[in-house]
Every structure is written in C-alpha cells, then in structure tokens.
Amino acid sequence: MNKKFLVTLLAVMMLATLFVGCSSKQTSEPAESTTPNSNATEGTEPATKKAPVTLNIRFFGNENGH
C-alpha cells in the first residue's frame, strides 16, 4: 500500500511539473511593446564564419579509441 502511494504521488508530481514547465504565460500587453526599437539595417549583416568543431565519440570496451 505504501509503495503504491509513493508511486502515485511521484507520477502526479511529474505531471504537475510537466504542465508548469511547458505552459506559456499570456500577457495582456501587445507584442509590439515588448520588442526593442530597431533600425532598418539590423539583421541584414552577413553572418560571421565560425570555427569547425570536432566531436569525439567513445564506446565502452573499445581500447585505444579505434
């Protein structure tokens, strides 16, 4: 009985966390008032090139990384 109660309580708490974390807050103000003023050239500049990144993947039981 005690184990079933704890599992149910945990499930309810996880669902409550899911709903609170994924909900969006609705405001009564229009969206234009929250955005900063921008000039006409904003966003037209070319993107800067970023350095390449190396990703190393290692598997368990594989010696010397080969």
Side-chain angles (χ1 to χ4, degrees), residues 6-7 12 25 44 48 58:
L6 290 176
V7 170
V12 169
K25 183 177 179 181
T44 59
T48 58
R58 308 262 173 146

Side-chain angles (χ1 to χ4, degrees), residues 14-66:
M14 289 175 66
L15 283 172
T17 304
L18 176 82
F19 288 125
V20 169
C22 294
S23 65
S24 63
K25 183 177 179 181
Q26 297 291 331
T27 60
S28 60
E29 297 178 14
E32 292 84 22
S33 66
T34 59
T35 58
N37 294 335
S38 61
N39 56 17
T41 61
E42 185 176 320
T44 59
E45 301 165 352
T48 58
K49 197 170 195 176
K50 295 183 180 180
V53 178
T54 304
L55 177 64
N56 295 324
I57 300 174
R58 308 262 173 146
F59 293 104
F60 293 109
N62 194 359
E63 294 183 18
N64 299 329
H66 294 274

